[in-house]
């Protein structure tokens, strides 16, 4: 594989964005460096984006929340004249392999969801100031914002030209957000999504494609007025100054990755990675003020950053590691102590809120990760509260029943007791899945009474047999069977078709209600993945491959 | 193309099923004729099915409702020993082209939905009497029933071996029905869907995969007891004797199809078919008793049967006709008269109910049809009530504003007035889409007040300008522009990628809530279609293609 993609950056390294802060209002100004593509072979003209641009956007959204807590409204706009954003770079897409396209779309979708959640969760509403053409992913980026203000200059248009020009879908939530978020009439959405030239300002506001329009002379002021109004409505919790998100301490080796609180060990022959999340080495600080002094090293923030980075790294750079074994290590009571500190300040302290929202987003990233996820709950592990949520995000939970038989290695200290799983208030709504349900509610969709019963167990460590009886784990082999059972389950998983597993997991993980987010990852993404594989888009004569060559795509006209 | 597939049959022609009626209880006994495949190249061993088997099942379900109104519970079982049903025939699937596979899955899904709706809508509950192995689509067939009773003979298993054996998904609703209908825990569903040998009776009932088990000596009685209990719970409306579903009068020519009340004219060069639904030639009978005397010729039943058959015919046999133009012709008041007769007996007469449920299913078939649907509302048309629903099911509605300019042809009789659209009570909940919303509620998802306002218009013909203002139609060109505008819209549609259109339409048509049905057609089907296109399933070394050869599939291990 080529050099790995890194998802961590900081504003000093941005090539495509400017982040401007002015009191309560921030501006993210996109001005893509045409020569700054993350891969060779294309130029980022007209503010088109690739993964490199999106990594900066992702970073900027994250930093606004943690480093600039005073910000209450964010204006997303373009530094170019007459152009807001031309969407995903088409040559980049055309030259990308299938897995790359799919992974790129997943990350961009997650980033757009992060924009929406900044408004709903964190009181940082986004306003798209569409100062010129917003095409395809450019308009979809605006659709992810809370409000869209569009310049009415007689030429700017919003458009979704993917279907007519490229024979693919607006795959970054556009179709879903038109009808499900903005409630655009579906026949009008049909017109928008098939009209390559798009829709100018007056019709756009009539059809509900944007919220407001303004002539060039009044555009800047209109944007500012709306940003101020959004800031005034913000319910962002108070708290101290921002936290500096210092560079991640990540050691990369061929056999795995190592962060201070998270390790990943690869077994390439078996297609496995073992991820271990380590409990804090010391108890929680006495107060949030003391936590703040720990900065980015404060364990709940540090471990979430590391896990989030690891998920992105593995998804992008280690596509043959199809099964992730998820373990924890350390003291459960310490984990719960940190969680109590944060939960106690919920709604009253922006930092406590941000850390938990970040954990929620990271867990959701896991939910949509196209890898098989097995939790291994062993003696010495600390699946408690937020870390129990990690186990519940997995496709299966294996819990060792009783104690290992072997002798303790010399110098290993006291042997841990039997494996336990500890639920806390965190497991009953603090980290909802993107379908709006807690992972426990989604695990027992037909049985709210059982979830209520589980709530009675809050704080009590539950051993394997009881956990099995309560349905908290899938299997609870004893020490005699443990290694064989895990090995067989991993070998079996590795023998199955990666595509079939991806489809199966995507269908099983989201029982219950659907939301725009689940529709984007379930319905829209699945159709887009299908369309991407079809010769009409990606074959040698397909429209995506031929775009820009002057030759139109040649289509098999049979409908499937 | 080879000789077309016909979806109409009758019990005298069944090769794979027996339909047995005993008072309130019916039995559908599957005993597939191994040599009776609808295409050459495979044998229907172990009660595996192909489209031909499913066409008979579809017919039997329909006839039970119309011809046997006294039936209140249906036992679905197998005539083979130790085998319930082995699911879709794998060699058939392996040799089918992509579009064939997708179309086959769609029809089988619709038929399984019809089984569920027979219970909820029509008081004919289905009981799967699983008297032996139920594998893959065989278990999915049982999952579509209201209850599953399984024989506990130490060998029978229910299984979903698609992922482990074939590298495809259980594509007929299995994954969705496990977690969303039966509320099976998702980690257990993961185990079920990856374990090729399946699950025996005791575990099956523990995990919620079946409702009850019985040893062989008590199985027959247990099934009968449950069938009687289901019949006793049935709220099937009373009414007269059954209606004979006489053979369809369908004339097939190269340029189109003609039924008494529906015509379809092909324009192969343009990839178009114009479907015209004709209003009844005479007013509604005075009573349902009089309607009953008309039998299958009673217009609402006749026109629905014809339209349903036409949709299936076109979907399967005319895959290059990508755009369907939907017209109506005749007197709107007459259409509404028939609808009043049926609506007036709702809940009190099984025939009135069945006809409207049938229309609901037919409209839902249209909703999931992978063709672009344009309604053309012209002078002389009768888009009123149930037929207005046809227009609302379309992706776009074009309505001619004013009167055509030309002179009337000699002998053409009186010129019709301007085109109108007439809403009736039928448009506000009588024919819900599979997301549970009326088509109007789904058209104005953000605006229940507007839907309430439209309800005030019930019964009043609305002309084009008003309809445009109310958002009931997409465009309302006048006579000067009408032909050009329709022609351009059709040409534009024909120029687009069929796959991209299918994906786009599937995403736009179902704004709002999701149900198991929409999840099956949206999420599950899209993933299955994707998996079907992937080399791991359908490539020369793919598991689906290699099944039965003794060679395992060879997989690209990269996760996408």
């Amino acid at each position: 594989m080529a050099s790995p993609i890194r998802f961590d950056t900081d504003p000093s390294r941005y090539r495509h964005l400017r982040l401007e802060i002015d009191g309560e209002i921030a501006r993210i100004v996109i001005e893509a460096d045409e020569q700054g593509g993350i891969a060779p072979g294309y130029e980022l003209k007209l503010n088109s984006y690739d993964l490199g641009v999106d990594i900066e956007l992702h970073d900027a959204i994250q930093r606004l929340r943690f480093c600039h807590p005073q910000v209450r409204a964010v204006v997303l706009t373009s530094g170019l004249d007459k152009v807001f954003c031309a969407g995903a770079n088409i040559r980049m897409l055309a030259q990308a392999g299938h897995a790359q396209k799919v992974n790129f779309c997943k990350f961009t979708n997650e980033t757009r969801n992060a924009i929406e959640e900044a408004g709903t969760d964190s009181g940082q509403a986004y306003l798209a100031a569409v100062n010129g053409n917003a095409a395809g992913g450019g308009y979809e980026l605006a659709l992810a914002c809370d409000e869209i203000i569009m310049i009415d200059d007689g030429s700017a248009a919003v458009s979704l030209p993917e279907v007519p020009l490229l024979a693919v879908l607006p795959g970054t939530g556009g179709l879903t957000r038109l009808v499900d978020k903005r409630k655009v009439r579906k026949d009008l959405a049909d017109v928008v999504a098939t009209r390559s030239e798009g829709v100018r300002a007056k019709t756009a506001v009539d059809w509900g494609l944007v919220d407001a329009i303004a002539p060039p002379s009044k555009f800047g002021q209109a944007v500012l007025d709306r940003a101020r109004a959004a800031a005034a409505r913000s319910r962002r919790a108070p708290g101290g100054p921002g936290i500096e998100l210092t560079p991640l301490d990540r050691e990369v080796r061929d056999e795995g990755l190592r962060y201070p609180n998270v390790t990943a060990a690869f077994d390439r022959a078996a297609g496995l990675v073992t991820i271990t999340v380590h409990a804090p080495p010391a108890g929680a600080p006495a107060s949030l003020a003391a936590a703040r002094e720990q900065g980015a090293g404060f364990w709940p923030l540090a471990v979430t950053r590391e896990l989030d980075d690891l998920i992105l790294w593995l998804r992008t750079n280690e596509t043959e590691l199809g099964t992730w074994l998820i373990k924890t290590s350390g003291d459960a009571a310490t984990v719960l102590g940190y969680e109590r500190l944060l939960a106690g300040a919920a709604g009253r302290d922006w930092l406590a809120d941000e850390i938990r929202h970040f954990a929620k987003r990271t867990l959701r990233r896991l939910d949509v990760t196209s890898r098989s996820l097995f939790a291994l709950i062993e003696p010495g592990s600390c699946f408690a509260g937020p870390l129990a949520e990690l186990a519940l995000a997995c496709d299966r939970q294996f819990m060792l029943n009783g104690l290992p038989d072997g002798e303790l290695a010399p110098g290993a200290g006291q042997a841990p007791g039997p494996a336990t799983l500890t639920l806390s208030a965190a497991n009953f709504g603090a980290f909802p899945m993107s379908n709006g349900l807690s992972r426990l509610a989604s695990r027992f969709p037909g049985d709210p009474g059982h979830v209520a019963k589980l709530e009675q167990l809050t704080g009590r460590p539950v051993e394997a047999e009881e956990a099995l009886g309560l349905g908290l784990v899938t299997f609870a082999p004893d020490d005699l069977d443990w290694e064989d059972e895990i090995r067989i389950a991993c070998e079996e998983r590795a023998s199955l078709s990666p595509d079939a597993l991806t489809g199966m997991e995507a269908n099983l993980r989201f029982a219950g209600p659907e939301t725009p987010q689940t529709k984007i990852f379930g319905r829209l993404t699945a159709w887009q993945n299908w369309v991407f594989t079809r010769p009409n888009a990606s074959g040698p004569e397909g429209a995506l491959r031929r775009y820009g060559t002057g030759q139109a795509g040649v289509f098999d006209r049979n409908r499937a």
Side-chain angles (χ1 to χ4, degrees), chain A:
Chain A
M1 98 152 271
S3 67
I5 305 280
R6 291 173 159 75
F7 287 81
D8 51 325
T9 185
D10 65 73
S12 74
R13 291 189 282 163
Y14 289 177
R15 294 187 67 169
H16 309 293
L17 302 184
R18 291 197 310 274
L19 185 55
E20 303 170 350
I21 315 285
D22 183 9
E24 293 188 335
I25 295 171
R27 284 160 53 89
I28 297 176
V29 183
I30 309 175
E31 199 171 330
D33 175 354
E34 294 189 2
Q35 305 308 317
I38 198 169
Y42 51 89
E43 296 180 344
L44 298 175
K45 297 200 174 178
L46 301 172
N47 260 354
S48 61
Y49 59 79
D50 66 356
L51 184 57
V53 178
D54 235 64
I55 285 171
E56 293 184 6
L57 183 60
H58 168 250
D59 184 75
I61 296 164
Q62 185 78 331
R63 283 181 196 275
L64 281 172
R65 290 168 134 162
F66 282 98
C67 315
H68 305 282
Q70 81 281 13
V71 167
R72 291 166 169 265
V74 184
V75 174
L76 182 67
T77 193
S78 150
L80 304 185
D81 191 36
K82 302 267 184 201
V83 170
F84 175 72
C85 170
N89 187 279
I90 296 163
R91 282 181 190 276
M92 176 277 293
L93 272 184
Q95 75 185 38
H98 182 65
Q100 277 178 294
K101 283 201 281 275
V102 169
N103 195 54
F104 168 72
C105 287
K106 184 169 289 174
F107 178 70
T108 54
N109 269 318
E110 289 171 324
T111 303
R112 275 123 202 89
N113 289 342
I115 288 175
E116 279 179 341
E117 291 166 343
T120 51
D121 291 344
S122 301
Q124 289 187 339
Y126 275 67
L127 290 83
V130 177
N131 58 320
N133 281 318
Y139 177 45
E140 290 179 293
L141 184 57
L143 282 168
C145 295
D146 297 85
E147 292 182 63
I148 309 176
I149 311 155
M150 180 181 180
I151 198 161
D152 180 12
D153 63 359
S155 83
V158 293
S159 63
L160 294 174
E162 287 89 343
V163 171
L165 293 188
L166 308 172
V168 300
L169 302 185
T172 324
L175 298 176
T176 309
R177 288 206 172 85
L178 274 184
V179 296
D180 270 306
K181 178 183 180 182
R182 298 193 63 91
K183 318 285 188 193
V184 171
R185 246 170 55 207
K186 54 190 176 177
D187 59 324
L188 300 177
D190 179 287
V191 173
V192 173
T194 54
R195 185 186 279 181
S196 56
E197 71 273 24
V199 176
R200 299 247 170 90
K202 288 195 173 61
T203 305
V205 77
D206 279 352
W207 288 8
L209 309 180
V210 303
D211 295 291
I213 59 177
S217 62
K218 297 184 179 167
F219 184 69
Q221 189 61 46
V223 170
L224 193 59
D225 290 347
R226 283 191 166 248
R228 285 180 177 148
R233 286 193 301 271
S234 166
R235 290 170 308 169
R236 192 164 170 82
I243 296 283
E244 192 190 350
L245 296 179
T246 50
L248 281 173
D249 176 8
R250 181 185 56 217
E251 186 187 340
V252 181
R253 299 213 222 161
D254 191 51
E255 65 270 25
L257 297 182
R258 177 176 292 277
Y259 307 80
N261 303 288
V262 179
T263 52
F266 304 160
D267 179 346
R268 293 190 192 280
L272 287 176
V273 51
T274 301
I275 298 170
T276 306
V277 176
H278 301 278
S287 68
L288 269 172
R292 213 167 242 111
E293 287 184 16
Q294 299 181 7
F298 180 49
W299 180 80
L301 176 55
V303 76
T304 309
R305 285 183 78 201
E306 294 166 15
L307 186 59
D308 204 55
D309 187 70
L310 176 65
I311 295 170
L312 292 171
W313 181 287
L314 293 175
R315 285 200 324 206
T316 306
N317 299 317
E318 297 290 349
T319 54
E320 290 203 11
L321 303 178
T323 303
W324 294 3
L325 303 180
I326 298 190
K327 299 185 179 190
T328 55
S329 149
D331 180 49
T334 310
V335 172
L336 292 175
Y338 277 82
E339 169 60 14
R340 268 197 306 277
L341 178 65
L342 296 179
R348 295 185 295 106
D349 184 285
W350 70 264
L351 179 60
D353 287 349
E354 283 304 349
I355 291 172
R356 295 174 101 219
H357 290 315
F358 183 22
K360 178 178 72 181
R361 292 196 298 282
T362 299
L363 287 161
R364 288 184 181 184
R365 228 193 258 293
L366 210 48
D367 294 332
V368 298
T369 289
S370 57
R371 302 291 190 278
S372 297
L373 308 174
F374 290 173
L376 303 189
I377 308 172
E378 298 168 293
S381 67
C382 53
F383 284 101
L387 295 189
E389 210 63 14
L390 266 185
L392 294 169
C394 289
D395 297 302
R396 299 185 187 180
Q397 297 75 28
F398 296 83
M399 188 165 185
L400 200 156
N401 187 1
L403 281 171
D405 208 19
E407 279 179 40
L408 221 55
Q414 203 192 335
T420 60
L421 187 67
T422 313
L423 300 179
S424 80
N427 305 112
F428 297 88
F431 305 105
M433 298 176 62
S434 54
N435 61 8
L437 300 182
S438 72
R439 282 177 187 74
L440 280 175
S442 202
R443 187 176 181 87
F444 303 105
D447 202 350
H450 188 63
V451 176
K453 180 180 161 191
L454 292 172
E455 209 159 358
Q456 304 301 315
L457 300 180
T458 295
R460 177 162 76 72
V462 174
E463 294 189 15
E465 269 182 45
E466 186 180 5
L468 186 69
L470 291 167
L472 292 171
V473 301
T474 320
F475 298 112
D478 62 18
D479 182 57
L480 220 60
D481 296 327
W482 177 257
E483 278 195 24
D484 272 355
E485 205 162 303
I486 304 299
R487 183 182 49 77
I488 290 168
C490 292
E491 285 174 2
E492 180 199 85
R493 207 74 174 187
S495 76
L496 302 179
S497 157
D499 307 317
L501 288 176
T502 293
M504 183 189 81
E505 291 153 3
N507 277 282
L508 294 181
R509 288 181 187 166
F510 295 92
E514 299 262 355
T515 62
Q517 280 196 8
T518 67
K519 285 187 171 192
I520 287 168
F521 287 118
R523 183 183 276 273
L524 182 63
T525 295
W527 285 107
Q528 176 75 311
N529 292 358
W530 176 71
V531 171
F532 274 153
T533 64
R534 300 279 288 162
N536 285 341
S538 300
E541 298 185 324
L544 179 60
R545 288 274 289 279
R546 280 194 162 177
Y547 184 78
T549 65
Q551 287 185 292
V554 175
F555 299 139
D556 173 356
R557 302 242 54 96
N558 282 288
R559 279 282 198 138

